[in-house]
């Protein structure tokens, strides 16, 4: 669940800022973000956030936002997998609406090339260096066959034995929801194995391998693959910056009592 909670925070912040809009269920006045194509069958962990919110509300009602809970849960998930910690800045408030269309416009696709990835993150004020560091979150978590089938059957910049191993659980047709680890070497450790995989042409997503494919980010991937301390420091700093994307503060938004619906 740790990878899912980290992904929830990312998929929240990249749409309209870190405002917990991703947690809202559909209403008669808007279609929420959960069913958008970039999120459907991808994001989960809502029940965990519900449980945390319920306990927090019982202790200090109306004080801690769902957006802050998402940010803290993402940090604690990384720590639980053996990764770095960082100070989570607090004080975000929760949105009162959500946008399905904004999800598909803002969330980067696993099919993107390097230039598109750099542009996508730049729109959020995040540099190419921060994009590579944040991509290191793929050192934990799993991917659906549907999203990497094209790579393992049609691309050439992939280790042949690795591609064969993935094909065993991802047939050329069918099995769309079959899962494979994004980091095959150490899937339950938040380490730099993801970057070592990329150097060895073992990126699962097309977008992953784009970070090490003869382009401008190759040297950074190489550095992270050999220096875990540098990756940890850069990842933590990038998470703080991402967590500050367009937060609602002051009198904007609200502190939701139930993360799934507005007060």
């Amino acid at each position: 669940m740790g990878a899912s909670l980290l992904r929830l925070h990312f998929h929240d912040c990249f749409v309209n800022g870190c405002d917990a809009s991703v947690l809202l269920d559909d209403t008669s006045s808007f279609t929420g973000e959960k069913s958008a194509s970039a999120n459907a069958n991808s994001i989960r962990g809502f029940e965990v956030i519900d449980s945390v919110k319920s306990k927090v509300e019982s202790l200090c009602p109306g004080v801690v936002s769902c957006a802050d809970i998402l940010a803290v849960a993402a940090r604690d998930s990384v720590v639980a997998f053996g990764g770095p910690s960082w100070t989570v800045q607090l004080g975000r408030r929760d949105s009162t609406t959500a946008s399905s269309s904004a999800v598909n416009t803002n969330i980067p696709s696993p099919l993107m090339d390097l230039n598109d990835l750099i542009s996508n993150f730049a729109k959020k004020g995040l540099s190419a260096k921060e994009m590579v560091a944040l991509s290191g979150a793929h050192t934990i978590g799993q991917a659906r066959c549907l999203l990497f089938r094209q790579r393992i059957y049609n691309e050439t910049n992939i280790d042949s034995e690795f591609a064969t191993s993935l094909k065993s659980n991802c047939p050329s047709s069918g099995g769309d929801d079959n899962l494979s680890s994004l980091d095959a070497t150490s899937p339950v450790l938040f380490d730099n194995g993801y970057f070592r995989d990329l150097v060895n042409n073992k990126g699962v997503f097309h977008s992953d391998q784009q970070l090490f494919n003869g382009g401008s980010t190759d040297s950074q991937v190489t550095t992270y693959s050999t220096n875990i301390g540098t990756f940890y420091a850069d990842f933590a700093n990038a998470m703080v910056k991402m967590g500050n994307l367009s937060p609602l503060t002051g009198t904007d938004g609200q502190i939701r009592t139930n993360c799934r619906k507005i007060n």
Side-chain angles (χ1 to χ4, degrees):
M1 187 54 69
S4 297
L5 295 175
L6 179 56
R7 181 178 291 170
L8 264 185
H9 181 45
F10 180 90
H11 280 230
D12 179 44
C13 293
F14 251 62
V15 178
N16 288 311
C18 306
D19 60 2
S21 59
V22 72
L23 302 177
L24 287 171
D25 289 338
D26 295 352
T27 72
S28 58
S29 60
F30 66 79
T31 301
E33 299 170 15
K34 295 178 180 178
S35 59
S37 61
N39 283 338
N41 300 312
S42 171
I43 56 172
R44 63 191 186 108
F46 303 108
E47 296 79 8
V48 176
I49 300 300
D50 290 340
S51 177
V52 173
K53 179 62 174 175
S54 177
K55 290 179 171 62
V56 170
E57 283 296 308
S58 68
L59 294 171
C60 47
V63 175
V64 182
S65 69
C66 300
D68 276 354
I69 290 174
L70 278 178
V72 173
R75 188 271 313 275
D76 290 355
S77 294
V78 171
V79 172
F81 276 86
S85 185
W86 58 91
T87 300
V88 178
Q89 295 175 306
L90 303 172
R92 301 168 190 80
R93 288 166 65 83
D94 299 323
S95 67
T96 55
T97 188
S99 171
S100 176
S101 61
V103 173
N104 299 326
T105 303
N106 289 280
I107 298 296
S109 163
L111 306 178
M112 280 184 171
D113 292 331
L114 180 60
N115 287 340
D116 292 329
L117 289 167
I118 292 173
S119 175
N120 180 278
F121 278 71
K123 290 176 183 176
K124 301 297 178 183
L126 295 165
S127 67
K129 178 181 178 180
E130 289 161 338
M131 180 270 291
V132 175
L134 290 170
S135 296
H138 283 177
T139 190
I140 56 175
Q142 297 178 306
R144 296 168 63 214
C145 167
L146 174 68
L147 299 177
F148 62 84
R149 176 182 287 121
Q150 179 75 14
R151 169 157 167 72
I152 63 175
Y153 283 96
N154 296 304
E155 297 187 8
T156 57
N157 60 341
I158 185 169
D159 179 86
S160 58
E161 290 184 9
F162 179 64
T164 299
S165 70
L166 290 177
K167 289 175 183 176
S168 67
N169 194 42
C170 182
S172 57
S173 63
D176 286 358
D177 292 332
N178 292 356
L179 299 173
S180 292
S181 296
L182 285 164
D183 174 4
T185 54
S186 51
V188 293
L189 281 178
F190 196 98
D191 58 8
N192 59 345
Y194 166 80
F195 296 105
R196 294 196 302 271
D197 289 343
L198 297 187
V199 170
N200 291 313
N201 284 333
K202 294 181 179 180
V204 175
F205 287 147
H206 174 84
S207 58
D208 290 328
Q209 197 59 56
Q210 283 291 295
L211 305 184
F212 190 84
N213 192 42
S216 59
T217 55
D218 280 18
S219 60
Q220 188 180 350
V221 169
T222 301
T223 296
Y224 288 165
S225 73
T226 58
N227 192 326
I228 194 170
T230 300
F231 165 52
Y232 278 177
D234 288 353
F235 180 82
N237 289 332
M239 284 297 292
V240 171
K241 186 171 179 180
M242 187 189 79
N244 285 333
L245 289 177
S246 307
L248 298 173
T249 58
T251 58
D252 293 332
Q254 60 181 216
I255 305 294
R256 280 188 235 136
T257 302
N258 179 335
C259 291
R260 292 176 181 265
K261 59 184 181 181
I262 62 175
N263 298 339

